[in-house]
Amino acid sequence: MMKKNNLIFFVLIAMVSVYAVQLKAQTTNERSPYNWNNLPKIAEPKFRRDTFNIEKFGAVADGLTLNTVSINRAIATCSSKGGGVVLVPGGIWLTGPVEMKSNVNLHLERDAILLFTSDFDQYPLVEGTYEGRRSARNQSPIFGNDLQNIAITGRGVVDGNGDVWRMVGKDKLTEREWKAKKASGGLVSADDRIWFPSAKTKLAHEQRRGTAILPGQTLKDFEDIKDFLRPNLVVFNNCKKVLLEGVTFQNSPAWCLHPVMCEDLTVRNVFAKNPDYAQNGDGLDVESCRNVLIEGCTFDVGDDGICIKSGKDEEGRKRGKPTENVIVRNNIVYKGHGGFVVGSEMSGGARNIFVYDCSFMGTNIGLRFKTARGRGGVVENIFVKNIRMKDIVEDAILWDMYYFTKPPAAGEKTEVPEVTEATPRFRNFQLSDIVCNGAKRGIFIRGLPEMKVMGIELSNIVLKTDKGAEIIEASEISMKNVTLISKNAGPVVYVESGSNITLNGFKYASDAGLLFSINGEKNKNIRVVNARIPNSAGKVAFSNGANPAVLITD
């Protein structure tokens, strides 16, 4: 009997151990299979040397002749004969939508301009994806679905003619530009503040119409606002082995480059260029893609420069395809809402992303990670190093889980929602060797009460900014050799509802006033080591019930 009882006891222990392992797997990070010495591998397409010149298919480079049929015939013929190069020689080639085919490299010579027509009737309404949701769109100027082995290469220009699609506010233009815009045609709002390219765009704006296709709706329901449904310039859906190299993609009606659910994607040495007033004028939005290399590119756009996405809310979670195994290196981002961005449509998740040797100059935010309640999804295993930033408008480095939503005021008592599949997660970020010369704020971390931002390691960072760092609803935050040179007299570091925060080798300006402000009862274990923290009054402040014992200095 004793032996039987012992056996039952050990079986129960084993069962409990297995359950504990399963529970831990559900609540802890998924370890990345990659590291800096073992980066993801990206396969590139290869093409036959056979060349198909669009001129031989009837295309005319006079900037007047519509070459849609000729260019698409050249691409289809090339693909049907085993693939090769479709050559766009020097000249201005006016065209409607271009459909890519498998095994085709669309190659633009240096003096070639592929110019898309301003005739909206050339772009049929189609079902597409926009901001992570099933949406009605005009057909993208360049598109392809379910293809393999495709490329757009060369040194020429792809121009989406986006100005004819975009409404624009008077405050975004100079007086001379505003007069020219009104003289070009279109309509103006009653208060003379907004220019619309057409009556359909004006109607959509006034009625606050959206692009998402709701249950029971068809494309016919969007005909009355068709012109408002601006296309993304280049869209590839569910394609394998995709290469974009050397080409300038400019003046996109909405997003510039938008690969969706692609595998083995390479974007190399491209220039994405949009006016700074171009709403939704993102440079590159990589959505639910796997095995991605983005290198040597330049972005100067009206919204986010390089952005990682994976669908929005329930629709994105049902798709369940994260953007994963990504290398981003040797890129420059000028104007734009963010240099390197994840979110906010990241409901399918993002993981195993390596960003290094990049420069951001004049962007609104440098490194930007954004989400909100309802998104769900896990963003994890993000590794960043060797980033240079200059003249950043807002935050140098930002994590924010209240994107486009209103956070509670400091000390405000609010009901905390339960954690569900719609609760987003940010965890396991490692950032090192970052310099920023000029920004409104150096570091901003803001999680949710029910789901803190977890596991951020910051090391060897120098930020010269107006404000230092704000950490709200975050845990397991490590800062090693972080220098915050801030102009403002306010706290260099502000912490609210933070726990297990360590500053090792923390440095600040010699004339800094208040160093730390600890706000609220929920702070725990804030440790400062290898740093000079004066004992004089006015260097540390505690408010709203914060316990001075939570700040530990060694």
Side-chain angles (χ1 to χ4, degrees), residues 525-539:
N525 190 27
I526 302 169
R527 183 178 295 272
V528 182
V529 298
N530 297 321
R532 180 180 56 84
I533 307 299
N535 295 322
S536 58
K539 293 298 182 181

Side-chain angles (χ1 to χ4, degrees), residues 90-312:
I92 298 181
W93 307 92
L94 184 68
T95 183
V98 170
E99 182 176 4
M100 290 292 291
K101 299 287 186 180
S102 291
N103 301 312
V104 172
N105 175 6
L106 183 64
H107 185 84
L108 283 73
E109 291 186 341
R110 171 70 178 175
D111 55 342
I113 301 174
L114 194 62
L115 175 64
F116 285 91
T117 178
S118 60
D119 180 4
F120 295 163
D121 291 338
Q122 298 298 317
Y123 304 86
L125 272 181
V126 297
E127 180 181 314
T129 299
Y130 187 63
E131 293 188 336
R133 302 183 68 181
R134 177 171 164 260
S135 300
R137 313 291 294 164
N138 281 282
Q139 181 65 72
S140 289
I142 301 179
F143 67 99
N145 300 309
D146 305 314
L147 306 178
Q148 296 189 34
N149 222 50
I150 58 173
I152 304 174
T153 65
R155 299 292 302 279
V157 175
V158 174
D159 191 314
N161 218 345
D163 277 332
V164 302
W165 292 90
R166 286 189 293 266
M167 60 184 185
V168 63
K170 182 178 181 180
D171 60 338
K172 301 293 186 180
L173 305 175
T174 65
E175 188 64 31
R176 182 178 179 180
E177 289 170 337
W178 177 247
K179 289 179 180 179
K181 180 63 73 175
K182 291 199 297 183
S184 69
L187 302 167
V188 179
S189 60
D191 60 1
D192 195 44
R193 304 300 302 174
I194 302 175
W195 178 85
F196 302 96
S198 73
K200 290 184 177 182
T201 301
K202 187 171 185 286
L203 177 67
H205 176 76
E206 291 174 344
Q207 294 184 353
R208 298 181 180 275
R209 300 274 289 277
T211 67
I213 301 175
L214 302 177
Q217 285 187 318
T218 67
L219 291 177
K220 289 184 179 180
D221 295 309
F222 295 86
E223 284 286 353
D224 62 332
I225 60 167
K226 178 180 181 296
D227 305 350
F228 173 71
L229 306 171
R230 294 172 290 135
N232 297 339
L233 180 57
V234 179
V235 176
F236 293 135
N237 285 289
N238 196 36
C239 298
K240 295 183 178 180
K241 292 188 179 179
V242 179
L243 172 65
L244 303 174
E245 184 171 29
V247 176
T248 294
F249 297 94
Q250 68 178 35
N251 209 7
S252 59
W255 294 351
C256 198
L257 307 175
H258 185 204
V260 185
M261 294 186 292
C262 293
E263 186 172 339
D264 289 316
L265 166 70
T266 300
V267 183
R268 178 182 293 122
N269 298 335
V270 306
F271 182 18
K273 182 177 181 293
N274 276 328
D276 59 3
Y277 59 79
Q279 68 269 32
N280 313 116
D282 298 37
L284 171 62
D285 292 282
V286 178
E287 181 173 344
S288 295
C289 294
R290 187 171 187 268
N291 302 340
V292 179
L293 172 61
I294 305 163
E295 66 175 351
C297 300
T298 302
F299 300 89
D300 193 353
V301 293
D303 208 314
D304 291 331
I306 305 167
C307 192
I308 303 298
K309 298 181 181 290
S310 60
K312 185 175 182 180

Side-chain angles (χ1 to χ4, degrees), residues 378-544:
V378 180
V379 176
E380 64 182 350
N381 302 334
I382 312 296
F383 307 94
V384 182
K385 68 179 182 180
N386 300 337
I387 305 297
R388 319 301 178 212
M389 293 182 260
K390 182 178 180 293
D391 299 330
I392 302 301
V393 178
E394 298 293 338
D395 297 280
I397 309 171
L398 174 143
W399 290 263
D400 193 4
M401 301 181 89
Y402 280 96
Y403 179 69
F404 260 111
T405 58
K406 184 179 179 181
E412 179 183 354
K413 302 293 184 181
T414 59
E415 183 177 346
V416 178
E418 64 176 304
V419 175
T420 69
E421 65 175 7
T423 306
R425 291 165 171 80
F426 280 167
R427 63 194 188 194
N428 193 18
F429 290 73
Q430 296 179 17
L431 285 71
S432 65
D433 300 292
I434 296 173
V435 173
C436 177
N437 189 337
K440 186 175 291 184
R441 181 168 49 194
I443 300 168
F444 184 68
I445 304 171
R446 181 167 60 188
L448 301 170
E450 70 274 21
M451 184 58 64
K452 297 180 183 296
V453 175
M454 296 281 294
I456 295 178
E457 297 180 16
L458 301 164
S459 62
N460 302 327
I461 292 175
V462 178
L463 307 177
K464 183 181 178 182
T465 59
D466 293 344
K467 298 174 66 175
E470 294 186 35
I471 303 171
I472 305 168
E473 298 290 359
S475 182
E476 310 299 334
I477 309 299
S478 171
M479 298 187 184
K480 184 176 181 181
N481 297 329
V482 172
T483 300
L484 299 175
I485 306 298
S486 53
K487 295 179 182 178
N488 291 1
V492 178
V493 178
Y494 171 88
V495 181
E496 178 184 331
S497 298
S499 61
N500 299 326
I501 298 170
T502 301
L503 289 85
N504 186 344
F506 169 59
K507 296 179 182 178
Y508 51 89
S510 59
D511 59 349
L514 182 63
L515 297 182
F516 291 93
S517 175
I518 314 298
N519 186 356
E521 302 172 351
K522 297 181 180 179
N523 294 290
K524 298 178 182 178
N525 190 27
I526 302 169
R527 183 178 295 272
V528 182
V529 298
N530 297 321
R532 180 180 56 84
I533 307 299
N535 295 322
S536 58
K539 293 298 182 181
V540 180
F542 299 90
S543 58
N544 292 320

